Structure formats: C-alpha cells, structure tokens
Amino acid sequence: MECKESDPTRFDNRGGKLLKEEKERKKIGRDLPKCEESIVREISTWESESGRIFTVYGHKFSDYLNNQKEELQSRKDQMKGEQTASRNREVLGSNVLQRRRQETIHSLL
C-alpha cells in the first residue's frame, strides 16, 4: 500500500484507480485489527491446550508482531525524514541560487 501511495504516476489515470486504492486502504484498516485479534486468540488457545509457546523465527508471536509494527513505523518515520530533508535541500538550494542571481545583478549595476 505504501508503495502505491508514493507512486507519482497514480494520479495519471482516469479509471478510478485512486478510489479503488482508498477503498482498499479502508478495508485493510478495518479488517487487519480484527484478523490480528483472531490470530492472537487462536494462538492463545493453542498454547493453553498444547502447553507450548507458539514462535515465529524463534520469537514469541506477540513479540514478533510488535517488532514488525515497530519496524514499519520506523521505516515510515525514516521516509518522512528523508522527504523533509529533501524539501529542505530544495528550498536551501533555491535560496542560494536567488542570492547568487541578486549578487550578479548588483555587481552588473
């Protein structure tokens, strides 16, 4: 979903792609928490019945899920930081160019 959001060509079509994308985002936002809750409940039931801990890649499932959420959030924060830094460089670069143009104009006068 995030890749689709950052794709600049998504605005170029006329087939209702943005509307479909928004509906998909809402559906995922609504269904994902329910799905997570259901999985956690099933795992809890399995753990109590079997007397064992359910693991994913050697980590307890709840820890694994929390780590995945934290990694996703940190990637989002990093992307936002990169975008902000890029915008700041663009503004700074344009200010430097404007100053140089003004200095050139003043030196010619």
Side-chain angles (χ1 to χ4, degrees):
M1 288 300 295
E2 293 164 9
C3 292
K4 287 182 183 179
E5 289 176 9
S6 62
D7 182 15
T9 61
R10 69 188 185 128
F11 299 111
D12 294 341
N13 86 18
R14 295 174 43 97
K17 187 175 177 183
L18 287 175
L19 183 59
K20 290 176 187 174
E21 186 179 310
E22 184 63 27
K23 285 182 180 181
E24 183 179 349
R25 187 178 302 107
K26 285 182 182 180
K27 185 176 188 320
I28 290 171
R30 182 181 60 242
D31 293 347
L32 185 61
K34 292 177 187 177
C35 185
E36 285 178 11
E37 184 180 316
S38 173
I39 291 171
V40 168
R41 236 184 341 215
E42 291 294 323
I43 289 173
S44 178
T45 303
W46 181 85
E47 287 178 338
S48 63
E49 289 174 357
S50 69
R52 298 179 7 204
I53 295 175
F54 187 87
T55 61
V56 177
Y57 299 115
H59 301 284
K60 189 174 177 184
F61 179 75
S62 59
D63 295 339
Y64 176 79
L65 185 62
N66 289 333
N67 287 339
Q68 291 295 309
K69 288 180 181 182
E70 288 172 6
E71 285 180 24
L72 177 64
Q73 187 60 44
S74 69
R75 279 187 292 198
K76 286 182 179 180
D77 293 343
Q78 182 182 4
M79 287 176 56
K80 284 181 184 179
E82 290 172 358
Q83 289 174 348
T84 302
S86 176
R87 285 189 204 120
N88 290 342
R89 281 192 301 271
E90 289 173 4
V91 169
L92 179 63
S94 66
N95 288 342
V96 169
L97 288 175
Q98 287 175 346
R99 206 172 315 125
R100 286 183 184 164
R101 286 183 195 134
Q102 290 174 352
E103 289 171 359
T104 304
I105 291 172
H106 290 297
S107 66
L108 293 174
L109 297 176

